[in-house]
Amino acid sequence: MGIKKIAICSVVGILLLTTAGCDVNSSTTSIQQQEADSMITVAYRANDYNRLEILADSLRNARLISDMKSSYWLGYANDKLMRKRIAEFFWNTGMAAFNPDEDKEDAEVYAEMASRLAGLKCTLGEYEAALKVAQTAVSQLQQMGYDNTSNYTNLIIYIGYCQSRFGLNKETAAQTLEQAYQQHLGYIRQQPSSDTYRLAIIGLTNICYNYSDMCDLENLLFWANRYDSLVGCYDKTGLAPETYIDKQYGRSCVFRAKALEGLGRTSEADSAFASFRKTHYSQTSDGAILAADYQMFTEKWKDAADSWSYLDEFRKQYASDYSMENIQLTFLRKYESNLRAGRKDSAMAVAMNILSHLDSTITKSRRTEAIEQEIVRKKEAQMMEDKRRLEVQQWWTRLAVMAVLILALVIYIFVLNRMSARLKKAHGQLKVAYDQLEVTTSIKERMESELRIARNIQMSMVPSVFPDIKGLDMYASMTPAKEVGGDLYNYLLLGDKLYFCVGDVSGKGVPASLFMAQATRLFLTLAKQEMSPAEICTRMNDALSGDDNENNMFVTFWLGLVDLTTGHLSFCNAGHNPPVIGCGGDDVTFLKMQPNVPIGVLPGMEFEGEEMDTIKGQPFFIYTDGLNEAENKEKEEFSDARLIEILHNTSFSSSQQLIEKLRAEVEAHRNGAEPSDDLTMMCLYIQQNI
């Protein structure tokens, strides 16, 4: 960079820093942020809530996760650790700090935080506060155009939930709940995945518990039937674990039995409860406690007393201690069931147990409340101190950077004056030209060296070793048109499942290679989560499109998932060339596919997946348009027809042999012409008898 450019950049930098300041953490790499998210995910999945709390706090201080995510996870961890008021504090803090203009990427975190806070308020019986939380969040998400997610829909359910509790307008509550239910069904139709089904089932569970607690039996029966129907639909998809379906079906049976009994349809109620008894869920402590509610409602006191015998196991499973809430909701009901069943000794034992813990429970409740209030107070003070310290740090950083830039400007002026004096003593334009040539040569050599390094790095990002599995023959190659390119291929083997992909980024050179690196990383990350090809393409599109894609780049992408035991293929095409099936025979043909758009073009695009029964016993060939659009010196393309002709006349012996054959054919067609595009090819062959 020339001295004048340095000076201009220095002055502009000073003006920008003076008006806007700077953030020392803005250089945090996306890789570090991904690692931070991964650590959070590991602790969450392991149910290690103490570690989750520590990570959420420390990663926020290190600026590796946003304040919004930190508040959500701190609230979640404390909620699971039964520190409800602390959880409420963090979620309230996070929601209050949400800025829709600056925190758009955290909109989903905001929605989930609001949903959990509304649920917590309902659990604590604070329905008016829960309604306010849900309505505020729904209004905010609508203004942002973020009203098409399951968390948004569950917030609507909480609004209907609270409206029904007030009993002021049952029709309004029913309309609200119906709206939410239809939205959930819409999400399922658009993307029938485990996530969309489970979030809808959670919403229905909350509705049924609400009407069960209120003994609104007609509404309970209506929603219990819908609950049962939705669980059945989820079961038919084959996506749901058997234990999950068993539990949800058992719940729906109990809800339906209670509603039918209360409506005087006793024989139907008995049949529904008998269906519940046939589930494995009925043998668990969770199922027994739910059954006890029904048995007390029907005044079957001996059965209820038997069910309450699971209480100790239930408390152990959920780490439930002696609290005023638990004494009221469980121990007193267990006492009532035993007393009404005529089991006076058992009732007396429960009563003595309550009495023995009542004093300590009251003391503990007061102490816990005081401790939580003190923790909240300290957290508020700590957050204020952190904010003050960060402002001071940013002020000193701005000051230091300004000082450096001013020093650079002073040095520039000094150097400029000295250069002016030296130029007067120059020996003429010949020496100046020679000096410039020398500098240009050095820069060119350095750039060529850096491009060679970039090429080596890019080539290392695509695999050169392929799975060594009996019955599978796989090979791929990539030849950039320049030092670095935008083509990509990759694969991931998970047991008997093989993910494989080929892509072509718009443009060439360094920008394309950087976009290619992002696409490759996203593919591997999402494939490890065992998503479907269509879901992977959708998630990649969300990450690579929108405001962050300033250069409007995109990638055509073909992604497949094959079961190596059956040959069944699931795939998604994102604007890519159609693969070719077959080799050395009359049945060589292009694969017929849906015409999806490339990844990165349309934000919010939902990609469609497709399937083939099997690809066993026939070569499966994927390529980029550097093959069929390769030109010779007369600008004649290699063409699709020539590709089919060569494959028709070539006997297949191995995937590598086929790719080397086609590479040689392309070189012969170009006849010395420079390649105009990157060339990538992949071939997959699964033997018929494995």
Side-chain angles (χ1 to χ4, degrees):
M1 182 182 287
I3 295 179
K4 289 186 177 180
K5 289 185 178 179
I6 295 175
I8 293 171
C9 290
S10 300
V11 174
V12 171
I14 292 172
L15 292 174
L16 289 173
L17 288 168
T18 303
T19 57
C22 69
D23 185 354
V24 295
N25 296 297
S26 60
S27 62
T28 301
T29 67
S30 60
I31 294 177
Q32 289 174 312
Q33 292 171 340
Q34 290 167 10
E35 290 175 348
D37 288 338
S38 177
M39 293 168 67
I40 289 282
T41 301
V42 169
Y44 161 72
R45 290 179 176 172
N47 297 329
D48 190 346
Y49 304 121
N50 288 302
R51 176 169 174 75
L52 182 60
E53 180 182 25
I54 294 170
L55 282 172
D57 198 27
S58 60
L59 291 174
R60 176 185 64 84
N61 292 333
R63 313 309 299 168
L64 291 176
I65 62 173
S66 66
D67 290 341
M68 184 67 61
K69 284 186 178 180
S70 175
S71 295
Y72 170 74
W73 287 116
L74 283 167
Y76 180 87
N78 278 282
D79 183 40
K80 293 298 182 180
L81 291 169
M82 305 306 291
R83 300 197 288 254
K84 302 294 185 181
R85 292 302 180 186
I86 300 177
E88 179 184 357
F89 163 74
F90 281 116
W91 287 335
N92 272 322
T93 301
M95 289 188 64
F98 180 67
N99 186 332
D101 296 326
E102 299 178 1
D103 304 327
K104 289 183 178 179
E105 63 181 21
D106 281 334
E108 176 64 15
V109 179
Y110 170 80
E112 190 160 355
M113 188 183 312
S115 181
R116 289 195 175 275
L117 180 57
L120 175 60
K121 292 287 190 181
C122 287
T123 301
L124 297 173
E126 300 173 5
Y127 302 113
E128 185 174 354
L131 181 62
K132 182 178 180 181
V133 168
Q135 288 178 330
T136 300
V138 164
S139 176
Q140 186 72 269
L141 293 168
Q142 286 174 343
Q143 293 176 15
M144 296 173 63
Y146 204 82
D147 53 355
N148 58 349
T149 70
S150 294
N151 278 315
Y152 169 85
T153 303
N154 279 336
L155 282 167
I156 293 179
I157 287 178
Y158 281 123
I159 291 175
Y161 186 114
C162 295
Q163 289 172 338
S164 67
R165 287 284 176 165
F166 294 142
L168 299 177
N169 193 335
K170 290 187 177 182
E171 183 178 348
T172 299
Q175 291 174 350
T176 302
L177 295 175
E178 181 66 22
Q179 173 193 351
Y181 175 68
Q182 293 301 329
Q183 285 184 355
H184 269 308
L185 294 183
Y187 302 146
I188 291 172
R189 284 191 290 268
Q190 292 173 13
Q191 187 178 6
S193 65
S194 287
D195 286 342
T196 53
Y197 268 107
R198 290 197 180 204
L199 285 168
I201 288 171
I202 289 172
L204 286 178
T205 305
N206 285 333
I207 293 173
C208 287
Y209 270 118
N210 177 49
Y211 283 124
S212 177
D213 290 345
M214 295 172 61
C215 287
D216 186 339
L217 302 175
E218 289 186 357
N219 276 316
L220 176 59
L221 180 59
F222 176 76
W223 288 103
N225 287 333
R226 281 187 163 181
Y227 186 3
D228 181 71
S229 175
L230 187 61
V231 171
C233 291
Y234 184 25
D235 188 23
K236 291 178 182 178
T237 66
L239 299 171
E242 184 177 345
T243 53
Y244 180 85
I245 293 296
D246 179 80
K247 179 178 181 179
Q248 302 307 326
Y249 177 66
R251 280 179 172 173
S252 71
C253 288
V254 176
F255 288 136
R256 195 165 61 255
K258 182 175 180 179
L260 290 166
E261 179 70 27
L263 295 171
R265 296 158 63 178
T266 303
S267 61
E268 295 177 73
D270 291 342
S271 177
F273 194 70
S275 296
F276 162 74
R277 284 299 193 192
K278 295 177 182 178
T279 65
H280 293 292
Y281 175 64
S282 67
Q283 305 303 314
T284 66
S285 61
D286 195 4
I289 299 304
L290 183 60
D293 177 70
Y294 166 76
Q295 289 157 345
M296 292 182 70
F297 179 75
T298 58
E299 298 184 356
K300 296 176 182 177
W301 301 111
K302 290 184 179 181
D303 292 341
D306 291 340
S307 295
W308 280 115
S309 65
Y310 284 85
L311 179 58
D312 289 340
E313 181 181 340
F314 177 82
R315 291 181 56 250
K316 183 178 181 181
Q317 178 181 349
Y318 290 96
S320 176
D321 59 0
Y322 285 90
S323 65
M324 298 303 295
E325 182 182 19
N326 286 338
I327 288 175
Q328 179 184 1
L329 296 179
T330 59
F331 285 98
L332 287 177
R333 303 189 77 198
K334 180 178 180 180
Y335 167 78
E336 180 185 3
S337 296
N338 279 280
L339 184 63
R340 289 179 178 268
R343 300 176 182 177
K344 296 183 178 180
D345 291 342
S346 297
M348 182 60 69
V350 176
M352 292 304 296
N353 190 19
I354 293 173
L355 288 173
S356 65
H357 289 91
L358 186 59
D359 186 62
S360 61
T361 299
I362 294 172
T363 302
K364 181 180 178 181
S365 176
R366 292 172 178 171
R367 184 172 65 251
T368 300
E369 184 176 354
I371 291 173
E372 289 190 351
Q373 289 178 353
E374 179 63 16
I375 291 175
V376 168
R377 187 192 65 77
K378 288 182 178 179
K379 285 292 182 181
E380 288 177 336
Q382 179 185 347
M383 292 174 71
M384 292 296 296
E385 176 61 23
D386 289 345
K387 182 178 179 181
R388 186 196 65 79
R389 186 167 56 249
L390 180 60
E391 290 174 349
V392 171
Q393 182 183 18
Q394 290 176 339
W395 186 87
W396 279 108
T397 301
R398 288 195 294 269
L399 186 62
V401 174
M402 288 175 61
V404 170
L405 291 174
I406 292 172
L407 179 61
L409 187 59
V410 171
I411 293 174
Y412 156 73
I413 296 172
F414 174 75
V415 172
L416 182 63
N417 290 333
R418 293 199 59 179
M419 285 188 65
S420 298
R422 289 177 180 176
L423 285 173
K424 293 178 182 179
K425 300 177 182 179
H427 296 289
Q429 294 182 352
L430 182 61
K431 185 177 184 308
V432 172
Y434 176 78
D435 290 340
Q436 290 177 341
L437 178 61
E438 184 177 6
V439 170
T440 301
T441 302
S442 174
I443 293 173
K444 182 179 179 182
E445 291 175 350
R446 185 171 68 252
M447 290 179 63
E448 291 175 348
S449 175
E450 290 175 350
L451 286 173
R452 284 194 298 272
I453 294 172
R455 179 187 178 93
N456 292 337
I457 293 173
Q458 184 184 20
M459 295 304 293
S460 70
M461 294 181 67
V462 296
S464 58
V465 178
F466 301 93
D468 184 13
I469 297 176
K470 183 179 180 181
L472 172 65
D473 179 11
M474 181 179 183
Y475 188 78
S477 72
M478 182 176 74
T479 307
K482 296 185 177 182
E483 286 81 1
V484 291
D487 276 8
L488 64 99
Y489 71 85
N490 217 311
Y491 72 89
L492 179 66
L493 184 64
L494 298 174
D496 292 329
K497 309 292 185 183
L498 176 67
Y499 288 88
F500 57 103
C501 68
V502 171
D504 183 359
V505 177
S506 59
K508 304 175 191 66
V510 173
S513 71
L514 294 175
F515 203 81
M516 166 266 194
Q518 285 184 291
T520 300
R521 173 186 57 77
L522 285 169
F523 160 74
L524 292 173
T525 300
L526 297 171
K528 288 177 182 177
Q529 300 178 35
E530 299 188 25
M531 296 181 180
S532 69
E535 188 173 4
I536 291 175
C537 289
T538 299
R539 297 289 182 87
M540 289 177 64
N541 184 66
D542 291 341
L544 296 175
S545 61
D547 295 338
D548 292 337
N549 190 358
E550 297 179 353
N551 296 323
N552 295 319
M553 301 190 74
F554 61 86
V555 55
T556 67
F557 199 75
W558 195 96
L559 168 62
L561 169 60
V562 63
D563 187 331
L564 298 178
T565 59
T566 65
H568 180 269
L569 175 68
S570 301
F571 65 91
C572 182
N573 172 46
H576 198 72
N577 295 41
V580 180
I581 306 172
C583 180
D586 295 331
D587 56 348
V588 178
T589 181
F590 289 109
L591 177 64
K592 295 181 180 179
M593 304 180 299
Q594 294 285 344
N596 286 329
V597 300
I599 290 173
V601 173
L602 295 176
M605 174 71 180
E606 292 286 340
F607 286 82
E608 296 181 11
E610 301 176 70
E611 296 183 359
M612 281 186 64
D613 289 338
T614 183
I615 60 172
K616 279 190 173 184
Q618 49 188 344
F620 195 86
F621 178 71
I622 322 169
Y623 57 97
T624 61
D625 56 15
L627 173 63
N628 59 322
E629 295 179 5
E631 296 180 342
N632 57 20
K633 293 181 179 180
E634 288 73 35
K635 302 299 181 181
E636 296 172 339
E637 290 189 349
F638 188 84
S639 79
D640 291 341
R642 187 167 185 175
L643 170 61
I644 294 295
E645 180 184 359
I646 292 172
L647 292 175
H648 173 74
N649 295 321
T650 301
S651 297
F652 180 84
S653 61
S654 72
S655 295
Q656 183 173 359
Q657 166 264 336
L658 181 61
I659 287 176
E660 295 298 340
K661 165 74 174 176
L662 287 168
R663 196 203 317 268
E665 291 286 347
V666 170
E667 289 292 332
H669 171 75
R670 283 208 306 262
N671 194 24
E674 288 294 323
S676 59
D677 203 354
D678 308 326
L679 173 60
T680 299
M681 296 178 284
M682 174 183 285
C683 185
L684 185 74
Y685 180 79
I686 304 173
Q687 291 181 6
Q688 187 70 44
N689 58 354
I690 66 166

